[in-house]
């Protein structure tokens, strides 16, 4: 088991379009397990492989209240089952600490494979439908901030770029302090 680092906006790698998974192998299943562990640890209700810098069409989702319903979706696709649109306040592990309303289809038909290659074909609604559409966007290099105004997106970008610079400084300081402590030991 392993926690995987999550890419953050505006990292250009989040813009890559993921390719289909060919054969589902033990490596695929291991990636799914590591992604679920990373998602639960965050914590989040979904994670796309793109977010951990693996540009394959694989997502994990658990929208259950108790976090005991892990779902693995391989090569997923969806189509709307209604014209009805619902707005939901979305967040994203790749856009930490920012939340805003996004309008999406309220009911969709999901097609995918699970980690054993079994076909999944089901109707999704509510939070599950929101999450599937959000995760499938990731596989196509799209983020929820792309639905916001340019002004909001730019504000978020600037704040996250500052956070990344500050994190970098902190990491450098830590490393220097550690090296100095080692020479004095
Ligand atoms: O954890 C997450 N919560 C969430 C809330 C509302 C709409 C979508 C999501 S998905 C997000 C995890 C994530 O970034 N998945 O890509
Ligand atoms: Ni996301």
């Amino acid at each position: 088991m392993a926690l995987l680092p999550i890419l953050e906006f505006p990292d250009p790698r989040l813009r890559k379009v993921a390719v289909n998974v060919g054969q589902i192998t033990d490596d695929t299943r291991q990636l799914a397990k590591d992604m679920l562990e990373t998602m639960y640890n965050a914590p989040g209700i979904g994670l796309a492989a793109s977010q951990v810098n693996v540009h394959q069409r694989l997502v994990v989702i658990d929208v259950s209240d108790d976090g005991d319903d892990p779902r693995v979706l391989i090569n997923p696709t969806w189509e709307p089952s209604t014209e009805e649109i619902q707005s939901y306040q979305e967040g994203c592990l790749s856009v930490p600490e920012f939340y805003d309303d996004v309008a999406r289809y309220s009911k969709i038909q999901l097609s995918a494979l699970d980690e054993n290659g079994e076909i999944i074909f089901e109707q999704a609604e509510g939070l599950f439908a929101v999450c599937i559409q959000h995760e499938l966007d990731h596989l196509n290099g799209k983020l929820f901030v792309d639905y916001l105004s340019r002004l909001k997106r730019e504000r978020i970008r600037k704040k996250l770029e500052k956070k990344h610079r500050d994190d970098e400084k902190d990491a450098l300081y830590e490393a220097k302090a550690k090296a100095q402590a080692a020479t004095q030991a």
Side-chain angles (χ1 to χ4, degrees), residues 92-162:
C92 180
L93 296 174
S94 296
V95 191
E97 316 276 338
F98 292 91
Y99 305 87
D100 215 324
D101 287 345
V102 177
R104 300 188 189 268
Y105 291 106
S106 63
K107 265 190 192 173
I108 61 173
Q109 176 76 50
L110 166 69
S111 304
L113 298 176
D114 71 11
E115 67 273 31
N116 300 311
E118 302 286 340
I119 292 171
I120 296 168
F121 189 67
E122 65 181 76
Q123 287 284 333
E125 57 183 27
L127 187 54
F128 190 37
V130 171
C131 198
I132 291 166
Q133 291 168 80
H134 175 113
E135 301 313 336
L136 272 274
D137 271 353
H138 276 301
L139 300 183
N140 295 326
K142 196 166 169 104
L143 301 171
F144 88 89
V145 295
D146 299 345
Y147 298 99
L148 309 180
S149 69
R150 191 192 183 100
L151 189 71
K152 279 187 176 177
R153 189 167 50 254
E154 285 300 288
R155 209 190 61 205
I156 293 171
R157 180 178 64 77
K158 283 178 184 142
K159 287 188 175 170
L160 281 177
E161 280 177 341
K162 176 173 188 324

Side-chain angles (χ1 to χ4, degrees), residues 12 16 169:
K16 290 192 185 183
K169 275 185 201 155

Side-chain angles (χ1 to χ4, degrees), residues 67-80:
D68 57 359
D69 186 20
R71 304 288 309 264
V72 177
L73 306 178
I74 297 171
N75 300 343
T77 61
W78 63 268
E79 50 188 78

Side-chain angles (χ1 to χ4, degrees), residues 32-58:
K33 269 190 192 165
D34 291 343
M35 283 173 56
L36 280 165
E37 191 188 358
T38 303
M39 178 191 81
Y40 286 126
N41 178 70
I45 57 170
L47 188 70
S50 314
Q51 293 177 276
V52 295
N53 202 27
V54 176
H55 302 282
Q56 296 182 21
R57 305 190 81 84
L58 192 158

